[in-house]
Amino acid sequence: MSIDSTSTVATTYSSGLSTTTASSLASLSDNYDMFISLLTAQLQNQSPLDPTDTDELTQQLLSYSSIEQQILSNQYLENLVLATSNDSSQVALSFLGKEVTYDASEQNFSGDALSWAMTVPDEAESLTIEIQNENGLTVFETTVEPDAGSDYTYTWDGTKTSGATADDGDYTLVVTANLADDTTESVDLEATSIARQVVWTSGAPELVLANGDTTGLDTIISARTVDETDA
């Protein structure tokens, strides 16, 4: 996606917010004008023996004022959301063409097997594998014994410890290396690739990477500029 395309998405989002507020204010103004017209007619034609209750009129005017303040407050919030959205867009665009390192421990399961790549610590005798759901609960756990110091890929087919298939959703792999000296060490699940594209998912920018992954800005650990020949 080009910068122009991403900017268009942000502009469309902004226009939607502004249109909603403008429509609400216009509707309130029309209703207020109608209220004033009816009030004027009522006062002109009221009976001297039974005048209009001014307390009721005051409450109606206060109601209009309260609604107007609420609409304006919504407008301020919309402007804040838009400013934050634009800032995120600029940050995302700044990563394009750069090599980014990101946390790759979380993946989305929708029926197909998930795979995680890692480097086994040199002193590791085994790895404890835990698959956790979105609530942080472990749904599957096992121990594997890959070669120490090797590059290793663990694949999970979605089967839980109970034997049932996991529900669709985001799952996080937690890997602990069991070392020769009876201590343990967490294994980082980081990946590195070139940011090629910016896409919007539910209003938030995400990076599409050269290795096929898509990741949010909150997973980025570091970034560096690379030569085009390296990309």
Side-chain angles (χ1 to χ4, degrees):
M1 180 181 293
S2 66
I3 293 178
D4 290 342
S5 298
T6 305
S7 298
T8 299
V9 174
T11 301
T12 301
Y13 182 60
S14 168
S15 299
L17 294 177
S18 301
T19 300
T20 300
T21 300
S23 176
S24 298
L25 286 172
S27 177
L28 178 65
S29 178
D30 290 341
N31 290 335
Y32 181 77
D33 290 342
M34 181 179 294
F35 170 75
I36 293 299
S37 297
L38 293 174
L39 174 60
T40 301
Q42 184 178 7
L43 292 175
Q44 290 174 341
N45 295 281
Q46 67 180 333
S47 170
L49 300 177
D50 186 20
T52 302
D53 187 352
T54 56
D55 288 339
E56 181 180 352
L57 295 177
T58 300
Q59 290 301 318
Q60 289 176 317
L61 288 172
L62 288 175
S63 295
Y64 275 103
S65 177
S66 177
I67 294 173
E68 181 183 23
Q69 290 302 317
Q70 183 62 52
I71 292 175
L72 291 176
S73 295
N74 290 342
Q75 184 178 31
Y76 296 146
L77 289 175
E78 289 172 0
N79 291 337
L80 179 60
V81 169
L82 178 60
T84 302
S85 175
N86 286 338
D87 287 344
S88 297
S89 298
Q90 294 303 316
V91 171
L93 291 170
S94 71
F95 284 121
L96 289 178
K98 293 183 179 179
E99 181 183 82
V100 297
T101 298
Y102 58 100
D103 180 0
S105 61
E106 182 180 294
Q107 294 192 40
N108 183 267
F109 177 74
S110 58
D112 295 328
L114 303 179
S115 295
W116 289 267
M118 67 198 76
T119 299
V120 181
D122 292 336
E123 302 299 322
E125 293 188 336
S126 65
L127 300 178
T128 298
I129 302 290
E130 292 181 71
I131 305 291
Q132 297 180 351
N133 63 16
E134 296 174 351
N135 297 319
L137 300 177
T138 299
V139 299
F140 180 77
E141 183 174 353
T142 189
T143 300
V144 295
E145 297 181 354
D147 293 334
S150 65
D151 291 331
Y152 174 69
T153 298
Y154 178 75
T155 299
W156 179 56
D157 64 2
T159 301
K160 300 193 294 185
T161 301
S162 64
T165 300
D167 295 331
D168 290 357
D170 293 331
Y171 290 86
T172 300
L173 179 68
V174 178
V175 182
T176 304
N178 304 302
L179 308 182
D181 60 0
D182 293 330
T183 61
T184 60
E185 175 183 318
S186 296
V187 178
D188 292 331
L189 296 172
E190 299 176 0
T192 300
S193 188
I194 305 297
R196 294 298 194 192
Q197 187 179 13
V198 176
V199 296
W200 281 72
T201 303
S202 300
E206 293 187 332
L207 300 178
V208 178
L209 306 171
N211 63 2
D213 283 353
T214 299
T215 189
L217 299 184
D218 57 340
T219 68
I220 303 299
I221 297 171
S222 64
R224 72 181 185 93
T225 301
V226 294
D227 295 333
E228 186 63 28
T229 53
D230 295 332

